[in-house]
Amino acid sequence: MHLCPLNFVKPISTWLIVAISKLPDERGDFVPKRIDHVAIIVRNIEQALVFYRDTLGIQPGEIKEVPSEQVRIAFLPMGGPGGSEIELIEPTSPISSLAKYLEKHGEGLHHICLEVEDIDEALQEMQDKGAPVLDKQPRIAAEGRAIFLHPKGTNGVLLELIEKNA
């Protein structure tokens, strides 16, 4: 069985976002800047790091708690400054929505996050276009302000749009 090496994914994803962001847009609509991160929900970050850090060699940044979201997260940077990241998410409360998601679906892909220039503009545009936005206003995320789009309107993938902190 031949697996696609991880170092192949980043150049393709970067190329795709760069190509999309350079398309002419006469409507003035926003376009996501890049793939910020791919989030993977796990039962235990330390156990997950045995694979990502010890097997793949990806060194995590800070592991931190986000009490407002009832999670611990670890970002694993890929591709140097401005590169995309893998985000490991561990629920910290057994009654949180993420813990319920983990129990129902198991460990694995949780969401894909796209960086936008202006989250308020993105939210308004998504609402105007009838996208299934889960947030009435941007929420505070680990690295900025964000909104989520329901998988029923995004071909089965939970999407996060984020405006990164300056």
Side-chain angles (χ1 to χ4, degrees):
M1 182 169 144
H2 178 59
L3 297 176
C4 177
L6 283 177
N7 61 355
F8 178 73
V9 174
K10 196 228 182 258
I12 294 295
S13 65
T14 301
W15 174 86
L16 180 61
I17 292 297
V18 169
I20 290 171
S21 68
K22 292 186 179 188
L23 290 174
D25 193 357
E26 296 78 28
R27 299 169 299 170
D29 298 342
F30 88 98
V31 175
K33 292 168 49 172
R34 65 186 191 91
I35 297 172
D36 184 70
H37 65 266
V38 174
I40 299 170
I41 193 163
V42 299
R43 294 186 194 290
N44 182 291
I45 284 178
E46 285 75 19
Q47 288 178 355
L49 285 174
V50 169
F51 176 74
Y52 290 96
R53 180 193 57 223
D54 301 345
T55 303
L56 294 179
I58 306 168
Q59 294 302 312
E62 175 185 15
I63 297 173
K64 58 185 169 182
E65 289 215 22
V66 183
S68 62
E69 298 292 323
Q70 298 180 309
V71 295
R72 288 179 64 219
I73 59 169
F75 280 106
L76 299 117
M78 306 278 302
S84 297
E85 298 179 292
I86 295 172
E87 177 187 35
L88 301 177
I89 307 170
E90 174 190 335
T92 57
S93 167
I95 60 170
S96 71
S97 61
L98 286 169
K100 292 174 185 171
Y101 177 93
L102 181 59
E103 287 309 309
K104 182 176 180 181
H105 301 284
E107 295 182 306
L109 178 66
H110 183 261
H111 68 269
I112 297 174
C113 179
L114 304 176
E115 184 179 356
V116 298
E117 196 69 42
D118 183 328
I119 196 63
D120 297 303
E121 178 185 341
L123 173 60
Q124 186 62 56
E125 188 164 328
M126 293 297 96
Q127 290 171 333
D128 291 349
K129 290 181 174 179
V133 181
L134 295 173
D135 301 286
K136 300 241 185 274
Q137 61 187 15
R139 63 176 78 184
I140 302 302
E143 296 188 315
R145 297 171 56 231
I147 62 172
F148 283 85
L149 303 175
H150 196 283
K152 72 180 178 185
T154 61
N155 301 97
V157 177
L158 179 63
L159 280 182
E160 178 183 14
L161 302 180
I162 189 167
E163 176 185 331
K164 303 275 282 208
N165 292 333

